[in-house]
Amino acid sequence: MFEELFRGQFGGAQFGGAQFGGFSGFGGFGGPRKAPTLKQNLSLTLEEFYMGCTKTVRVSRQIGNHDTDVKTFHVKIEPGYHDGIKLRYANDGHQLPGMTPGDLLFVLQEKPHSTFKRQNKNNLVYTAEISLKHALLGAKLVIPMLNGKKEEVNVAHVIEPNFVKTVRGLGMPIHGYNGSFGDLIIQFKILFPKELSEAKKKEVAAVFDGVEFVKSGPSVLEAVAEKFRFGLEALKPLVSWLFVLFIFIWMGRR
């Protein structure tokens, strides 16, 4: 993270907007003010965030009072960058009379992806649609990954509606930690048959004769909510005791 804030690179780019020396953002002691920062949004696919790339961007800047020019920048995107990161190019923004050159700031934005959602910067969430048959008998998933490879994931047991499978190390690259990756989180959406003929209903009923059924466990959100509720319940006696203690102290000072 420190290198994202302080390291200058990419042809004069600096991270985070921090500059040291000369109080450049304030014009120094009576010196010329700095021209306003020119902000430029830069949209990237999830694949580009995963693999890293160099984006060629043409930026229009104001030169003088009325003129403009267009300058080409080659912006290096390192694997693991994420939405919201800001890349600062010192003195490459507007060039206005009586002011020191302004900075150019690229703000990275992530495009929506058709297959994955990014979670907590480093994890990838994938929703697998499986039939009721495979939910009962087990499923074999072939997942197209962001690097172009296909990852095979097998689930041999019964898949409940709220089941989530986590595969370590198949998420996004963790920037600043070479060779480290987040996790792939697989959620399951179970598809039910639209209808069954009477003959099929009898076959299904015969299959389930003697099968033991268990109650499905809570979803991840339900489990977290339950733990939070339990924590609040456990704190109630302590809060009540502290309130009584506060009343005694307050009355003693009167």
Side-chain angles (χ1 to χ4, degrees), residues 5 25 28 76 104 127 133 169 181 188 235 249:
L5 294 173
K76 184 178 179 182
L104 171 61
T127 300
K133 171 185 174 181
F181 292 80
F188 291 87
L235 287 175
I249 294 174

Side-chain angles (χ1 to χ4, degrees), residues 7 54 63 90 98 100 107-108 127 201 213 241:
R7 176 164 58 93
T54 298
I63 305 296
T100 59
V107 182
L108 305 189
T127 300
K201 289 179 181 179
F213 290 88
W241 184 85

Side-chain angles (χ1 to χ4, degrees), residues 31-191:
R33 293 185 297 115
K34 191 175 182 67
T37 297
L38 172 59
K39 292 184 179 179
Q40 185 87 10
N41 293 331
L42 182 56
S43 297
L44 298 140
T45 65
L46 200 52
E47 285 85 355
E48 289 172 327
F49 277 119
Y50 185 96
M51 300 296 295
C53 64
T54 298
K55 301 288 287 187
T56 300
V57 186
R58 290 169 57 83
V59 178
S60 177
R61 311 174 300 166
Q62 183 176 343
I63 305 296
N65 288 322
H66 307 290
D67 297 331
T68 60
D69 79 340
V70 176
K71 184 175 179 179
T72 300
F73 294 87
H74 302 285
V75 184
K76 184 178 179 182
I77 307 300
E78 295 185 4
Y81 275 2
H82 56 79
D83 185 90
I85 276 184
K86 298 175 181 177
L87 306 178
R88 182 176 294 272
Y89 284 67
N91 304 322
D92 274 325
H94 297 305
Q95 320 286 310
L96 303 181
M99 296 184 176
T100 59
D103 296 342
L104 171 61
L105 191 69
F106 287 105
V107 182
L108 305 189
Q109 296 183 337
E110 182 182 304
K111 296 178 181 179
H113 198 270
S114 60
T115 303
F116 296 101
K117 289 184 179 179
R118 198 167 184 174
Q119 180 189 81
N120 299 331
K121 298 180 183 178
N122 299 324
N123 296 335
L124 288 173
V125 178
Y126 174 79
T127 300
E129 293 188 349
I130 61 172
S131 67
L132 178 59
K133 171 185 174 181
H134 289 106
L136 295 172
L137 302 179
K140 176 181 177 181
L141 308 177
V142 179
I143 304 174
M145 304 302 290
L146 296 173
N147 58 5
K149 298 179 181 179
K150 293 185 177 180
E151 196 70 32
E152 185 175 302
V153 178
N154 292 306
V155 183
H157 56 75
V158 173
I159 300 172
E160 299 180 5
N162 298 318
F163 175 68
V164 174
K165 183 176 181 62
T166 300
V167 184
R168 303 295 181 190
L170 288 184
M172 294 292 295
I174 300 177
H175 184 255
Y177 297 87
N178 291 335
S180 297
F181 292 80
D183 299 333
L184 173 63
I185 299 171
I186 305 174
Q187 301 174 339
F188 291 87
K189 181 179 180 180
I190 300 175
L191 306 178

Side-chain angles (χ1 to χ4, degrees), residues 191-209:
L191 306 178
F192 287 78
K194 186 175 181 180
E195 59 181 357
L196 290 174
S197 65
E198 290 301 321
K200 288 294 182 182
K201 289 179 181 179
K202 291 180 180 179
E203 291 178 12
V204 172
V207 168
F208 284 112
D209 283 344

Side-chain angles (χ1 to χ4, degrees), residues 206-224:
V207 168
F208 284 112
D209 283 344
V211 174
E212 180 183 0
F213 290 88
V214 294
K215 183 178 179 181
S216 177
S219 66
V220 174
L221 290 178
E222 289 171 341
V224 171

